[in-house]
Amino acid sequence: MQQRGAAGSRGCALFPLLGVLFFQGVYIVFSLEIRADAHVRGYVGEKIKLKCTFKSTSDVTDKLTIDWTYRPPSSSRTVSIFHYQSFQYPTTAGTFRDRISWVGNVYKGDASISISNPTIKDNGTFSCAVKNPPDVHHNIPMTELTVTERGFGTMLSSVALLSILVFVPSALVVALLLVRMGRKAAGLKKRSRSGYKKSSIEVSDDTDQEEEEACMARLCVRCAECLDSDYEETY
């Protein structure tokens, strides 16, 4: 579908929300619209998802194709890393061999893929192209991927969060134990001064309280042991 623009109009402009391309005085209405994240950040060794969605005016058929390409930084050469047509065809050569996985669903307009075990060498530009005949005219969104090492600050924040989750409850338990022990000591001191003797029921209650306090103390020790083990695994 084409519509002639105003006389004397020149240049090229893209209106992605409308799916319209204005090129050399001609409006080209896209029957297929594709969206992708402009920038994606990931970390070495942690799976990364490259999201791509599309909207087509035609029903999805077995003729629908999806192609993902990759262009390294400071290079004009692009390489195919994934192809889809009824089945998944990830690349079997190059640096992305055995690392590209299909995570999309064409019937939901999802053409996303993921990269496992990413490295800094994977930095670059990825593009997602979808064709669903007769809908073949579309924009080509590009995603800039930046992979970095997790810094000490990120690891430290994780340890700090774990410490909060473990130490705060433990501190509350210890505080409650100290309060109860203080009250108990004050009561015993007062009773000893007045020559008070405990009944058999009170003796039984004191035994139960001592067992509860011992159990809570063991819980605190266990929490501290868990924190130490998690801290060692982090580093």
Side-chain angles (χ1 to χ4, degrees), residues 74-185:
S74 304
S75 175
S76 59
R77 180 174 175 269
T78 61
V79 294
S80 175
I81 60 172
F82 182 85
H83 175 75
Y84 177 96
Q85 185 173 6
S86 297
F87 297 98
Q88 311 158 25
Y89 300 98
T91 182
T92 57
T95 59
F96 291 100
R97 178 182 178 181
D98 299 329
R99 295 198 295 127
I100 303 296
S101 300
W102 169 250
V103 293
N105 186 331
V106 294
Y107 297 102
K108 294 183 178 180
D110 191 347
S112 305
I113 60 173
S114 67
I115 304 174
S116 59
N117 299 318
T119 67
I120 296 177
K121 293 182 180 180
D122 295 337
N123 288 343
T125 304
F126 295 79
S127 62
C128 173
V130 181
K131 295 184 184 298
N132 185 35
D135 296 348
V136 294
H137 297 290
H138 59 81
N139 59 313
I140 301 179
M142 296 186 180
T143 299
E144 292 290 337
L145 175 63
T146 303
V147 181
T148 59
E149 293 276 2
R150 277 197 179 275
F152 177 75
T154 303
M155 297 174 64
L156 185 61
S157 63
S158 300
V159 173
L161 178 59
L162 181 61
S163 299
I164 292 173
L165 293 176
V166 174
F167 276 124
V168 170
S170 300
L172 291 175
V173 171
V174 172
L176 291 173
L177 281 173
L178 292 175
V179 171
R180 292 188 61 181
M181 291 173 66
R183 290 179 177 177
K184 182 179 179 181

Side-chain angles (χ1 to χ4, degrees), residues 3-23:
Q3 179 181 351
R4 179 67 60 179
S9 297
R10 293 291 185 272
C12 176
L14 178 64
F15 305 89
L17 294 179
L18 300 177
V20 177
L21 175 67
F22 180 66
F23 181 72

Side-chain angles (χ1 to χ4, degrees), residues 206-220:
D206 288 343
T207 302
D208 293 340
Q209 289 181 0
E210 291 175 357
E211 291 179 354
E212 291 178 1
E213 291 170 358
C215 181
M216 296 179 75
R218 289 195 297 270
L219 177 61
C220 292

